[in-house]
Amino acid sequence: MKQLILTLLCLPWLVAAAPQPNVIYILADDLGYGDLSCYGQKKFKTPHIDRLASEGLKFTAHYSGNTVCTPSRAVLMTGMHSGRCYVRGNLRGEVGAALDEKMTVLPEVFKAAGYRTGAFGKWGLGNTHLKGAPNPLAHGFDEFYGWKSQTIAHTYYPTTYVHNGRELPLKKGTYLHTPMMEHARAFIRGSVKAKQPFFCYIPTAIPHAAMHAPKALHEKWRKVFPQFDKKIGKYGAGGEPCPDVVNPIAGFAAMMEHLDNEIGALLKLLDELGINDNTLVMFTSDNGAHKEGGHDPIFWKSSGGLRGHKRDMHEGGIRAPMLARWPGVIAPGSTTAHISSFQDILPTVCELVGQPVPSQNTGISFVPTLRGQGAKQRPHDYLYFEFCKGAKQVIVSQAVRLGDWKAFRAAGKPMEVFNLKADPFEKNNLATKRPELVRRFEAIIKEAHVPLPQ
C-alpha cells in the first residue's frame, strides 16, 4: 500500500517530465480520399503511407480546411474555420494570402514550447522570398525550403528555389521534390543532434498540377498503362518551365510511388534515430482530387466514390484521408469516425505541447481520439465550410456537417440536404422532405459566416 501511495504521489511529476513529442505533419496537395491503397485505391499501392494506418489511426470523417489550396492552409495555420478565416478562396498572385503577423499561428505555438521548426515544400500563403508576412520565417519557422510561390509550385522543375528567404538558382532538370525531402530529413537529424524537439511541416506539391515524376518511375508506369501514351498533360506555372507530360496517367502513378518512397525513407530515418516512440506523424491532404494537368480522377476513382472533386463542397472536395501514427500512444490498426477538420490541428498541438490555445481558434483538440479515449472526446456542434472566388471573395458555395447530416448550397441555388450515414455519396437530396433541417442549417450558416471586410 505504501508503495502504491508513493507511486501515485510521484505520477504528476512523471507526467510532467515526459518528453515533448516530435511532430511531423505531411500535407499532400489535391490528394483525393481514394488515392491511397489504405483508403481503397486498387490500381497502385502506397505501402509506406499505409504503414501509418496499420501502425496507427485512420480517420474516416476528417475534413480539409477548404476545397482549394490557400484557404485550406490558412485554416490549418490559424485554427479558424473558413467562415471566420481571412481568406476563403485562391487569390491571383497570392496578394492578400499572407497570414496576420499579429496572430499566433501553428508554428509559433511550437516555438513557444521550445521546438525547432521547419517547413519544406509549398507554402501557399504568399511568396516565400519576400520579407514580412508572406515568408514562413515571419511566422515561427526556423527553416524553409521549397517553392517561391503557389503558382510556380505547379511545376516540379522550377528555375529557382527558396531557402530561408533567399531565392537561389536550381540546377536545370532537378526534380525539386527530391532535394526538398532531403532537406526535411536533414532538419530532423539536426534537431535530434541538438537534442531539441521538432515540428517538421512537409506541404508537398504532390500530386497537384503537372503530372511530373522522376523519369525512371514515369517510364515504369508507362509500361503498365501504354494505352494512354497518346494523351498529353499540359499545365502552366507562371512563366516557369512546366514540361508537357506524355501519358499523365502514368505520371500520376509514378509521382504517387515517388511520394510513398519518400515517406518510407522518412519512417526509416525515425527508426535509425531511435525517435519512433516519441514522434507523432500525421498525413492528410489540403482538399479533394483535381482534374488538371491531364490527371483523370474518374479513372483512378480518386474520390473513393464520394461526390465531387476540388472546388466542390460535396464530400469529394473536402473530405480528406487522415492518418496518425505515434507508437506506444496510438493503438496500431485503429480507425475513428470522429468528425474533425483542419482547424482542430492547432488546439490538438496546444494540448500536446502544453501551450494556451490562441484566441482566434474555432477548433477542438482531438488528443482523446489519438489516445483511444473516445468517450472523452468532445464533438463539434457542426463543421462549416465556405468557398469564395475572385479578388472580392464572392461566395461560390457553402456546406455544413452536422452529425450524420450534410447541407450543401451553391450560390443562388436551393439548399441540398443529405443523410451521410444512409447516403454517403450524396445522391438523395432530402431538402423538400425535411424542411425543419433546412431551417436549422440556414441558422447555422447565418451563425458561422462572418462577412469579409470589403
Side-chain angles (χ1 to χ4, degrees), residues 3-338:
Q3 184 62 44
L4 176 61
I5 292 171
L6 286 172
T7 300
L8 291 173
L9 287 173
C10 289
L11 188 58
W13 298 100
L14 290 171
V15 172
Q20 295 170 305
N22 306 306
V23 177
I24 301 173
Y25 189 87
I26 305 162
L27 181 65
D29 195 341
D30 294 1
L31 183 80
Y33 188 77
D35 277 334
L36 303 175
S37 45
C38 59
Y39 278 88
Q41 179 56 243
K42 302 296 184 186
K43 292 176 178 171
F44 59 80
K45 299 293 183 182
T46 50
H48 300 297
I49 298 173
D50 290 357
R51 271 189 63 193
L52 301 176
S54 63
E55 299 176 5
L57 177 63
K58 175 183 172 181
F59 288 70
T60 60
H62 187 72
Y63 290 83
S64 58
N66 210 300
T67 190
V68 292
C69 303
T70 288
S72 194
R73 291 154 201 267
V75 170
L76 174 67
M77 289 292 149
T78 65
M80 302 192 314
H81 69 63
S82 56
R84 304 292 175 89
C85 208
Y86 68 97
V87 59
R88 303 170 194 182
N90 284 343
L91 300 170
R92 187 176 296 277
E94 297 183 73
V95 176
L99 294 165
D100 185 347
E101 290 179 283
K102 297 178 182 177
M103 189 179 292
T104 300
V105 293
L106 184 63
E108 292 171 327
V109 169
F110 282 104
K111 285 299 293 180
Y115 278 63
R116 287 187 80 215
T117 55
F120 306 89
K122 170 184 161 180
W123 178 234
L125 295 169
N127 288 356
T128 58
H129 68 303
L130 301 177
K131 292 183 179 180
N135 196 317
L137 303 184
H139 299 286
F141 281 112
D142 296 318
E143 182 176 2
F144 172 80
Y145 180 101
W147 281 270
K148 176 180 175 179
S149 72
Q150 179 161 285
T151 302
I152 293 173
H154 292 164
T155 179
Y156 296 78
Y157 297 101
T159 58
T160 65
Y161 67 96
V162 173
H163 190 205
N164 293 340
R166 294 181 61 208
E167 185 178 8
L168 301 165
L170 186 67
K171 183 179 178 181
K172 186 177 181 180
T174 299
Y175 189 73
L176 184 57
H177 194 265
T178 300
M180 179 198 93
M181 291 300 297
E182 290 170 353
H183 273 76
R185 290 190 288 270
F187 167 80
I188 291 171
R189 290 190 193 95
S191 300
V192 172
K193 185 177 181 180
K195 297 181 180 180
Q196 194 172 359
F198 64 83
F199 169 50
C200 184
Y201 174 48
I202 306 178
T204 168
I206 291 176
H208 175 50
M211 295 291 99
H212 294 160
K215 184 176 180 180
L217 287 176
H218 192 178
E219 292 305 311
K220 167 189 169 180
W221 283 97
R222 283 183 68 185
K223 293 176 182 177
V224 178
F225 299 113
Q227 68 271 34
F228 298 107
D229 268 357
K230 292 184 179 179
K231 185 173 183 178
I232 306 296
K234 295 178 178 289
Y235 212 86
E240 286 284 288
C242 192
D244 292 349
V245 176
V246 176
N247 195 334
I249 296 295
F252 177 74
M255 69 197 313
M256 287 301 299
E257 182 174 350
H258 170 76
L259 175 62
D260 188 66
N261 289 340
E262 292 288 357
I263 301 305
L266 186 65
L267 295 177
K268 182 180 179 182
L269 177 64
L270 300 184
D271 187 52
E272 290 174 354
L273 295 173
I275 58 173
N276 253 323
D277 291 350
N278 195 42
T279 302
L280 168 61
V281 180
M282 292 182 278
F283 180 100
T284 189
S285 175
D286 65 348
N287 46 248
H290 70 101
K291 298 184 282 186
E292 298 144 348
H295 180 43
D296 187 347
I298 304 301
F299 173 80
W300 292 110
K301 298 183 179 179
S302 288
S303 296
L306 298 175
R307 180 178 174 184
H309 301 94
K310 180 181 180 180
R311 298 185 178 85
D312 188 339
M313 282 295 184
H314 285 294
E315 293 291 284
I318 53 177
R319 197 191 300 187
M322 166 66 172
L323 303 169
R325 173 185 181 263
W326 188 1
V329 177
I330 295 176
S334 52
T335 302
T336 179
H338 171 61

